[in-house]
Amino acid sequence: MEILSKVHAKNLVQWAKDKPEVLVLSADLTSSTEIDLFRDTYPDRFLSMGIAEQNMLSFAGGLAREGLYPFIHTFAVFIYRRAFDQIAMSVAYPNVPVRMFGFLPGIMTPGGATHQAIEDIAVMRALPNMTIFECGDATDVESVLDVAHAVNGPVYVRMLRGEIPRLFHPSDKMQFGKARVIQEGTDITLLTTGICTEEAMRAVQVLQKRGLSIQHMHVTTLKPFDDPSVLEAAAKAKYGVITMENHSIIGGLGTIVAEVMAEAGLGKKLVRIGLKDTFVHGASKPYLMREYGIDAMALIAEVERLVDDRFGIAESELAQTYLAPVHSLAKAEAL
């Protein structure tokens, strides 16, 4: 598997070169959100707003009203938790094109509850006019700028940084409102988003060898959520539907899928894999995924329960994943 470093840093500079109306705003986390290269390349289009996220969001709303396109960069928790009122009143209510890039979604940081955005989808999707995307690999990171910038209104993106895998070919870009089909099958429909897609791919590969037919789809647009192919896949699933996300099961992908299934009158079993109404402590990404049941082995266990069978799969049978070092040149700090 190809591992790429600082994908967003390089991509943003190239993408924005002919877009003088795009400004990048930092909340004192410039290198930590991979916008230091943008700052150095386009210093007149970079604004360091300090540790003052509420002011930054209000300021961004004003910029957008004047015909500019502010691209907010900070850790996800500092966007929606700290500045929610400003987002609601200065960005979502006037429906202005502010693009918010939230880094360290879910358990992506060992920083503990203060830094882990575990309920951001639930909070942000409740806002009228808000569009939400989530990146799961390098191709998503490369293509999300075009998708987000095409939206006539505010956008929130769960973003990846540092060393990240490429799961999808560069030509298989993120598309607005359309889930990618990774595998086709009829026993189970599996819907995953973000970093959970890689874990699910590891599990599905082994489960298929045990004879299961799994429809695996990678979801990148979380709001609006109206891709007809998702319901079509859910309807044909023999045993039911599984969602898997790096987020609370309350208000995230699992809730979204439950809503659309219920509204469609689709009477299928739904299993939601995610954080189960809990805060998360600080530790490494692999440890937290295992501890809180959002890794490949957790998915296999849920599949076994759903189909009422045991497959005897050992973790050694799963494909290896790249374990990024805690300290590296690919990110500014260990968070």
Side-chain angles (χ1 to χ4, degrees):
M1 182 183 298
E2 183 183 10
I3 303 295
L4 292 88
S5 179
K6 292 192 173 183
V7 177
H8 180 61
K10 304 165 189 173
N11 188 57
L12 179 62
V13 168
Q14 177 66 22
W15 179 86
K17 67 178 181 180
D18 58 351
K19 300 176 179 64
E21 71 283 0
V22 169
L23 306 181
V24 169
L25 280 64
S26 167
D28 206 32
L29 286 169
T30 302
S31 57
S32 298
T33 56
E34 298 192 357
I35 47 176
D36 44 344
L37 184 58
F38 185 98
R39 175 201 60 199
D40 297 343
T41 308
Y42 312 116
D44 293 340
R45 293 159 56 191
F46 173 82
L47 299 170
S48 180
M49 306 301 293
I51 307 175
E53 293 84 0
Q54 294 172 342
N55 177 64
M56 178 170 66
L57 266 300
S58 293
F59 192 88
L63 291 174
R65 283 175 176 268
E66 294 300 315
L68 298 167
Y69 293 94
F71 278 51
I72 299 291
H73 284 67
T74 188
F75 294 165
V77 285
F78 300 147
I79 293 177
Y80 74 100
R81 282 188 194 162
R82 192 160 293 173
F84 184 74
D85 182 61
Q86 287 72 24
I87 295 170
M89 292 295 98
S90 298
V91 176
Y93 177 52
N95 196 25
V96 290
V98 175
R99 286 69 166 98
M100 294 161 277
F101 291 83
F103 291 76
L104 305 185
I107 54 81
M108 291 293 291
T109 169
T114 57
H115 285 67
Q116 292 159 337
I118 62 170
E119 77 282 50
D120 51 327
I121 298 169
V123 170
M124 294 294 273
R125 68 184 286 257
L127 283 174
N129 299 323
M130 188 63 64
T131 295
I132 303 174
F133 301 115
E134 180 164 10
C135 296
D137 85 321
T139 301
D140 282 349
V141 171
E142 290 168 346
S143 53
V144 72
L145 294 179
D146 279 331
V147 179
H149 201 46
V151 174
N152 184 26
V155 176
Y156 175 70
V157 181
R158 296 187 110 207
M159 199 61 165
L160 300 178
R161 66 167 192 171
E163 295 173 297
I164 53 179
R166 187 183 296 285
L167 305 178
F168 304 100
H169 191 273
S171 64
D172 187 13
K173 301 177 186 292
M174 178 191 293
Q175 295 184 52
F176 179 85
K178 187 173 177 58
R180 289 190 190 85
V181 177
I182 300 173
Q183 295 284 350
E184 294 187 343
T186 56
D187 285 337
I188 294 171
T189 291
L190 172 62
L191 305 170
T192 63
T193 190
I195 61 170
C196 287
T197 290
E198 181 182 6
E199 288 296 308
M201 291 170 75
R202 299 172 68 210
V204 168
Q205 186 179 41
V206 179
L207 288 166
Q208 286 185 317
K209 292 178 181 178
R210 298 296 203 274
L212 275 179
S213 176
I214 298 176
Q215 176 91 6
H216 184 194
M217 305 176 76
H218 174 59
V219 176
T220 51
T221 304
L222 291 158
K223 185 187 178 187
F225 194 83
D226 51 11
D227 182 357
S229 69
V230 171
L231 271 179
E232 291 167 6
K236 70 180 184 181
K238 177 181 176 182
Y239 294 101
V241 178
I242 298 177
T243 60
M244 188 174 181
E245 60 190 311
N246 174 32
H247 183 274
S248 170
I249 60 170
I250 300 170
L253 178 65
T255 297
I256 296 167
V257 171
E259 291 169 355
V260 298
M261 287 176 63
E263 289 175 353
L266 188 58
K268 295 282 184 177
K269 173 76 173 177
L270 173 64
V271 176
R272 296 177 296 159
I273 298 176
L275 302 175
K276 294 174 174 58
D277 196 19
T278 181
F279 286 103
V280 180
H281 61 265
S284 68
K285 170 188 163 185
Y287 175 87
L288 292 176
M289 294 190 84
R290 174 186 292 275
E291 178 72 10
Y292 291 92
I294 58 173
D295 65 352
M297 292 303 292
L299 172 57
I300 289 169
E302 292 293 354
V303 168
E304 290 178 333
R305 281 190 280 271
L306 185 59
V307 303
D308 194 23
D309 200 354
R310 298 293 177 268
F311 302 110
I313 297 172
E315 191 165 7
S316 58
E317 297 181 61
L318 303 178
Q320 294 296 307
T321 58
Y322 175 73
L323 181 59
V326 173
H327 300 280
S328 77
L329 295 177
K331 55 184 180 178
E333 76 300 290
L335 286 174

Coordinates of all heavy atoms in Angstrom, one line a residue, residues 141-174:
V141 N -8.3 13.2 0.3 CA -7.7 14.4 0.7 C -7.4 15.3 -0.5 O -7.6 16.5 -0.5 CB -6.4 14.2 1.6 CG1 -5.6 15.5 1.8 CG2 -6.8 13.5 2.9
E142 N -6.9 14.6 -1.6 CA -6.5 15.3 -2.8 C -7.7 15.9 -3.5 O -7.7 16.9 -4.1 CB -5.8 14.4 -3.7 CG -4.4 14.0 -3.3 CD -3.8 12.9 -4.1 OE1 -4.5 12.2 -4.8 OE2 -2.5 12.7 -3.9
S143 N -8.8 15.2 -3.5 CA -10.0 15.6 -4.3 C -11.1 16.3 -3.5 O -12.0 16.9 -4.1 CB -10.6 14.3 -4.9 OG -10.9 13.3 -4.0
V144 N -11.0 16.4 -2.2 CA -12.0 17.0 -1.4 C -12.1 18.5 -1.6 O -13.1 19.2 -1.5 CB -11.9 16.7 0.1 CG1 -10.7 17.5 0.7 CG2 -13.1 17.1 0.9
L145 N -11.0 19.1 -2.0 CA -11.0 20.6 -2.2 C -11.9 21.0 -3.3 O -12.7 21.9 -3.2 CB -9.6 21.1 -2.5 CG -8.5 21.0 -1.4 CD1 -7.2 21.5 -1.8 CD2 -9.0 21.7 -0.1
D146 N -11.9 20.3 -4.4 CA -12.8 20.5 -5.5 C -14.2 20.3 -5.1 O -15.1 21.1 -5.5 CB -12.4 19.7 -6.8 CG -11.3 20.2 -7.6 OD1 -11.1 21.5 -7.6 OD2 -10.6 19.4 -8.2
V147 N -14.5 19.2 -4.4 CA -15.8 18.9 -4.0 C -16.4 19.9 -3.1 O -17.5 20.4 -3.2 CB -15.9 17.5 -3.4 CG1 -17.3 17.1 -3.0 CG2 -15.4 16.4 -4.4
A148 N -15.6 20.3 -2.1 CA -16.0 21.2 -1.1 C -16.3 22.6 -1.7 O -17.2 23.3 -1.4 CB -15.0 21.3 0.0
H149 N -15.4 23.0 -2.6 CA -15.4 24.4 -3.2 C -16.6 24.5 -4.1 O -17.0 25.7 -4.4 CB -14.1 24.7 -3.9 CG -13.9 26.2 -4.0 ND1 -14.1 27.1 -3.0 CD2 -13.5 26.9 -5.1 CE1 -13.8 28.3 -3.4 NE2 -13.4 28.2 -4.7
A150 N -17.1 23.4 -4.6 CA -18.3 23.5 -5.5 C -19.6 23.7 -4.8 O -20.6 24.0 -5.4 CB -18.4 22.2 -6.3
V151 N -19.6 23.6 -3.4 CA -20.8 23.7 -2.6 C -21.1 25.2 -2.4 O -20.2 26.0 -2.0 CB -20.6 23.0 -1.3 CG1 -21.8 23.3 -0.4 CG2 -20.4 21.5 -1.5
N152 N -22.3 25.6 -2.7 CA -22.7 27.0 -2.5 C -23.2 27.2 -1.1 O -24.4 27.3 -0.8 CB -23.8 27.4 -3.5 CG -24.2 28.8 -3.5 OD1 -23.4 29.7 -3.0 ND2 -25.4 29.1 -3.8
G153 N -22.3 27.2 -0.1 CA -22.7 27.3 1.3 C -21.6 26.8 2.1 O -20.5 26.4 1.6
P154 N -21.8 26.7 3.4 CA -20.7 26.3 4.4 C -20.5 24.8 4.3 O -21.4 24.0 4.0 CB -21.3 26.7 5.7 CG -22.8 26.7 5.6 CD -23.0 27.1 4.2
V155 N -19.2 24.4 4.5 CA -18.8 23.0 4.4 C -17.9 22.7 5.6 O -17.0 23.5 6.0 CB -18.0 22.8 3.1 CG1 -17.4 21.4 3.1 CG2 -18.8 23.0 1.9
Y156 N -18.1 21.5 6.2 CA -17.2 21.0 7.2 C -16.6 19.7 6.8 O -17.3 18.8 6.3 CB -18.1 20.8 8.5 CG -17.3 20.1 9.6 CD1 -16.3 20.8 10.3 CD2 -17.5 18.8 10.0 CE1 -15.5 20.2 11.3 CE2 -16.8 18.2 11.1 CZ -15.8 18.9 11.7 OH -15.1 18.4 12.7
V157 N -15.3 19.6 6.9 CA -14.6 18.4 6.4 C -13.8 17.8 7.6 O -13.0 18.5 8.3 CB -13.6 18.8 5.3 CG1 -12.8 17.6 4.8 CG2 -14.3 19.5 4.1
R158 N -14.0 16.5 7.7 CA -13.2 15.7 8.7 C -11.9 15.4 7.9 O -11.9 14.5 7.0 CB -13.9 14.5 9.2 CG -15.1 14.8 10.0 CD -15.6 13.5 10.6 NE -15.4 13.4 12.0 CZ -15.3 12.3 12.7 NH1 -15.3 11.1 12.1 NH2 -15.2 12.3 14.0
M159 N -10.8 16.0 8.3 CA -9.6 15.9 7.5 C -8.5 15.0 8.1 O -8.4 14.9 9.3 CB -9.0 17.3 7.3 CG -8.1 17.5 6.2 SD -8.8 17.1 4.6 CE -7.7 17.9 3.4
L160 N -7.6 14.5 7.2 CA -6.5 13.7 7.6 C -5.2 14.4 7.3 O -5.1 15.3 6.4 CB -6.5 12.3 6.8 CG -7.7 11.4 7.0 CD1 -7.5 10.2 6.1 CD2 -7.9 11.0 8.4
R161 N -4.2 14.1 8.1 CA -2.9 14.8 7.9 C -1.8 13.7 8.1 O -2.0 12.6 8.4 CB -2.7 15.9 8.9 CG -2.7 15.4 10.4 CD -2.2 16.4 11.4 NE -1.9 15.8 12.6 CZ -1.4 16.4 13.7 NH1 -1.1 17.7 13.6 NH2 -1.1 15.7 14.8
G162 N -0.5 14.2 8.0 CA 0.6 13.4 8.2 C 0.8 12.3 7.2 O 0.7 12.6 6.0
E163 N 1.1 11.1 7.6 CA 1.3 10.0 6.7 C 0.0 9.2 6.6 O -0.5 8.7 7.6 CB 2.5 9.1 7.2 CG 3.8 9.8 7.2 CD 4.9 8.9 7.9 OE1 4.8 8.7 9.1 OE2 5.8 8.5 7.2
I164 N -0.5 9.1 5.4 CA -1.8 8.5 5.2 C -1.7 7.6 4.0 O -1.0 7.8 3.1 CB -2.9 9.5 5.0 CG1 -2.6 10.5 3.9 CG2 -3.2 10.3 6.3 CD1 -3.6 11.6 3.6
P165 N -2.6 6.5 4.0 CA -2.5 5.5 2.9 C -3.3 6.0 1.7 O -4.2 6.8 1.8 CB -3.2 4.3 3.6 CG -4.2 4.9 4.5 CD -3.5 6.1 5.1
R166 N -3.0 5.4 0.6 CA -3.8 5.6 -0.6 C -4.6 4.3 -0.8 O -4.0 3.3 -1.2 CB -3.0 5.9 -1.9 CG -3.9 6.3 -3.0 CD -3.2 6.6 -4.3 NE -2.3 7.7 -4.3 CZ -2.7 9.0 -4.4 NH1 -4.0 9.2 -4.4 NH2 -1.8 10.0 -4.4
L167 N -5.9 4.3 -0.5 CA -6.8 3.2 -0.7 C -7.4 3.1 -2.1 O -7.8 2.1 -2.6 CB -7.9 3.2 0.4 CG -7.4 3.3 1.8 CD1 -8.6 3.3 2.7 CD2 -6.5 2.1 2.2
F168 N -7.6 4.3 -2.7 CA -8.3 4.4 -4.0 C -7.3 5.1 -5.0 O -6.5 5.9 -4.7 CB -9.5 5.3 -3.8 CG -10.5 4.8 -2.8 CD1 -10.5 5.4 -1.5 CD2 -11.3 3.7 -3.0 CE1 -11.4 4.9 -0.5 CE2 -12.2 3.2 -2.1 CZ -12.2 3.8 -0.8
H169 N -7.4 4.6 -6.2 CA -6.6 5.1 -7.3 C -6.8 6.6 -7.4 O -7.9 7.1 -7.2 CB -7.0 4.4 -8.6 CG -6.0 4.7 -9.7 ND1 -6.1 5.8 -10.6 CD2 -4.9 4.0 -10.2 CE1 -5.1 5.8 -11.4 NE2 -4.4 4.8 -11.2
P170 N -5.8 7.4 -7.8 CA -6.0 8.9 -7.9 C -7.1 9.3 -8.8 O -7.6 10.4 -8.7 CB -4.6 9.3 -8.4 CG -3.6 8.3 -7.9 CD -4.4 7.0 -8.0
S171 N -7.4 8.5 -9.8 CA -8.5 8.8 -10.7 C -9.9 8.5 -10.1 O -10.9 9.0 -10.6 CB -8.3 8.0 -12.0 OG -8.5 6.6 -11.8
D172 N -9.9 7.7 -9.0 CA -11.2 7.4 -8.4 C -11.5 8.4 -7.3 O -11.4 8.2 -6.1 CB -11.1 6.0 -7.8 CG -12.4 5.5 -7.2 OD1 -13.5 6.1 -7.5 OD2 -12.4 4.5 -6.5
K173 N -11.8 9.6 -7.7 CA -11.9 10.8 -6.8 C -13.2 10.8 -6.0 O -14.2 10.1 -6.4 CB -11.8 12.1 -7.6 CG -10.5 12.3 -8.4 CD -10.6 13.5 -9.2 CE -9.4 13.7 -10.2 NZ -8.2 13.9 -9.5
M174 N -13.2 11.5 -4.9 CA -14.4 11.7 -4.1 C -15.4 12.4 -5.0 O -15.1 13.3 -5.8 CB -14.0 12.6 -2.9 CG -15.3 12.9 -2.1 SD -14.9 14.2 -0.8 CE -13.8 13.3 0.3

